[in-house]
């Protein structure tokens, strides 16, 4: 009797598995073009994001290119200990954190504010013109952006400095004085990327039901009430998700941008983890040490993502996962 029941349960389990597999294959065949469209993105992340993670083992080795990963001697946490004991660690950590906080405080809210302002525009042609105008800087390389600011701010015939000189009789060395470095970094980031950052928020705003606005207008709500009670709650989940993702790149200050702006006079306030990794890894060929620094930075980003996602869930909001 028990044997018969076991056979019957085995057959039923097998049939269930076959039916699930059959349903899965039907869905795959039905949506085959969607999966095909997804393939380049999956391939990109596999090839350029996950496969290179194998190289992180060099952070725990004294890596020698001629020996390879398998033959290079293991040194454990030697490079991490060296990094934390370096006199430059405090300066690097301070500069990276300050620039990251500036980006979070001054840059992150601006695309939201700009999206809300653009959402209030009623003339479609003018709205599209403004969108095009603010998107263009995103496609300009950092080399060109820094070159433009150089021409504006240099003490030698810089347009802005010439104007300041005409008014006050003196010039300001924006490009050399350390106190201006972080202001210029954030200003350039805002000018270049704030328009592009509005795309996601404008897409979220386009999905808001217009009948909600009509209902609150009937109740006598003005523009500010509509903004507070309908518009902002509609994009709250988008804001939280982008904030979590932003925290994942919290310590990514932007290598190319900062590298182009650093000079010997402002290096004390401009040197960050990204430029330090470049200097040690590529110019001085300290591959294992630079890999350890990069791994430390990535680990901090992972902790911030997990922590912020947990907090979002804790307060009843949608997280990344």
């Amino acid at each position: 009797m028990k044997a018969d029941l076991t056979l019957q349960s085995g057959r039923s389990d097998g049939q269930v598995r076959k039916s699930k597999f059959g349903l899965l294959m039907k869905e795959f065949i039905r949506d085959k073009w969607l999966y095909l469209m997804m393939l380049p993105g999956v391939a990109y992340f596999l090839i350029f994001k996950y496969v290179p993670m194998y190289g992180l083992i060099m952070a725990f080795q004294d890596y020698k290119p001629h020996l390879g990963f398998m033959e290079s001697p293991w040194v454990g946490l030697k490079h991490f200990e060296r990094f934390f004991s370096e006199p430059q660690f405090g300066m690097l950590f301070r500069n990276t954190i300050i620039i990251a906080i500036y980006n979070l405080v001054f840059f992150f809210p601006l695309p939201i504010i700009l999206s809300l302002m653009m959402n209030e525009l009623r003339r479609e042609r003018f709205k599209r013109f403004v969108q095009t105008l603010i998107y263009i800087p995103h496609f300009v390389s950092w080399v060109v952006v820094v070159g433009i600011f150089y021409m504006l701010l240099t003490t030698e015939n810089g347009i802005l400095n010439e104007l300041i000189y005409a008014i006050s009789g003196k010039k300001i060395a924006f490009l050399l004085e350390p106190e201006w470095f972080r202001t210029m970094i954030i200003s350039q980031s805002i000018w270049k990327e704030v328009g592009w950052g509005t795309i996601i928020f404008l897409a979220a705003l386009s999905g808001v039901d217009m009948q909600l606005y009509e209902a609150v207008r009937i109740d006598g709500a003005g523009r500010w009430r509509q903004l507070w009670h309908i518009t902002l709650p509609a994009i709250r989940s988008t804001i939280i998700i982008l904030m979590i993702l932003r925290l994942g790149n919290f310590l990514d200050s932007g290598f190319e941008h900062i590298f182009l702006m650093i000079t010997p006079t402002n290096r004390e306030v401009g040197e960050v983890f990204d430029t330090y990794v470049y200097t040690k890894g590529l110019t001085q060929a300290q591959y294992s040490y630079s890999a350890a620094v990069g791994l430390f930075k990535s680990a901090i980003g992972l902790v911030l993502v997990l922590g912020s996602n947990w907090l979002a869930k804790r307060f009843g909001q949608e997280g990344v996962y």
Side-chain angles (χ1 to χ4, degrees):
M1 186 69 177
K2 290 183 179 180
D4 293 339
L5 290 172
T6 305
L7 288 172
Q8 288 176 6
S9 63
R11 287 171 188 168
S12 60
D13 289 342
Q15 289 173 354
V16 169
R17 282 194 292 268
K18 285 181 180 179
S19 63
K20 287 183 178 180
F21 180 75
L23 289 172
L24 185 64
M25 290 304 297
K26 284 181 181 179
E27 291 180 0
F28 179 79
I29 294 170
R30 184 190 62 194
D31 301 327
K32 58 182 180 297
W33 297 115
L34 294 177
Y35 288 109
L36 189 62
M37 291 174 61
M38 188 176 68
L39 190 59
V42 173
Y44 168 79
F45 279 97
L46 284 175
I47 296 171
F48 296 104
K49 300 296 182 180
Y50 287 97
V51 173
M53 289 177 68
Y54 174 73
L56 290 175
I57 62 174
M58 75 168 64
F60 307 95
Q61 297 177 322
D62 188 8
Y63 177 71
K64 306 294 183 184
H66 64 279
L67 294 176
F69 291 117
M70 293 297 100
E71 300 297 329
S72 296
W74 294 86
V75 294
L77 301 176
K78 170 187 172 183
H79 301 298
F80 295 94
E81 293 172 356
R82 174 192 165 188
F83 176 54
F84 295 142
S85 61
E86 284 278 358
Q88 292 177 304
F89 175 76
M91 179 264 291
L92 292 169
F93 192 78
R94 181 180 64 252
N95 293 343
T96 306
I97 288 292
I98 290 174
I99 292 176
I101 292 174
Y102 280 9
N103 271 315
L104 201 62
V105 172
F106 296 107
F107 176 80
F108 183 78
L110 286 179
I112 303 171
I113 297 170
L114 187 56
S115 300
L116 295 173
M117 294 171 65
M118 291 180 63
N119 190 55
E120 295 298 319
L121 296 176
R122 294 294 174 257
R123 294 180 179 272
E124 283 299 321
R125 285 190 177 182
F126 181 67
K127 185 176 181 179
R128 290 175 184 175
F129 171 75
V130 173
Q131 283 179 291
T132 304
L133 199 64
I134 63 177
Y135 291 167
I136 289 174
H138 171 77
F139 300 98
V140 180
S141 71
W142 279 117
V143 176
V144 176
V145 172
V146 172
I148 292 171
F149 271 74
Y150 179 84
M151 289 188 293
L152 289 173
L153 302 175
T154 181
T155 54
E156 299 176 2
N157 301 319
I159 298 172
L160 185 58
N161 250 318
E162 289 297 326
L163 182 61
I164 294 172
Y165 181 76
I167 296 172
S168 63
K170 61 180 181 180
K171 296 183 178 181
I172 302 174
F174 293 103
L175 301 172
L176 299 177
E177 295 181 4
E179 57 266 25
W180 287 101
F181 178 81
R182 291 164 183 157
T183 303
M184 287 191 297
I185 289 293
I186 302 304
S187 301
Q188 291 168 6
S189 297
I190 289 172
W191 180 81
K192 186 176 186 297
E193 299 295 346
V194 72
W196 189 254
T198 62
I199 291 178
I200 296 177
F201 296 109
L202 287 172
L205 288 170
S206 66
V208 181
D209 190 353
M210 299 304 295
Q211 293 181 356
L212 295 174
Y213 292 106
E214 294 175 4
V216 295
R217 285 195 204 101
I218 294 172
D219 292 337
R223 286 288 181 89
W224 287 107
R225 287 285 184 180
Q226 295 174 36
L227 175 68
W228 185 257
H229 292 289
I230 296 177
T231 308
L232 285 177
I235 63 172
R236 181 170 54 196
S237 60
T238 304
I239 294 173
I240 291 172
I241 289 173
L242 289 179
M243 171 65 82
I244 294 171
L245 296 176
R246 184 80 180 180
L247 288 173
N249 298 320
F250 185 70
L251 298 183
D252 290 337
S253 305
F255 161 73
E256 183 182 2
H257 182 197
I258 293 180
F259 182 75
L260 291 168
M261 291 294 296
I262 282 182
T263 63
T265 57
N266 62 27
R267 186 172 294 275
E268 189 66 26
V269 297
E271 187 83 71
V272 294
F273 288 138
D274 294 327
T275 55
Y276 185 71
V277 167
Y278 168 79
T279 302
K280 294 296 182 180
L282 294 181
T283 63
Q284 299 181 15
Q286 299 181 33
Y287 303 116
S288 293
Y289 179 64
S290 60
V293 177
L295 182 57
F296 165 75
K297 185 170 71 76
S298 300
I300 296 295
L302 177 62
V303 171
L304 288 173
V305 167
L306 295 176
S308 57
N309 191 79
W310 179 82
L311 282 175
K313 294 280 191 178
R314 181 75 172 173
F315 287 99
Q317 303 298 322
E318 293 184 10
V320 177
Y321 59 90

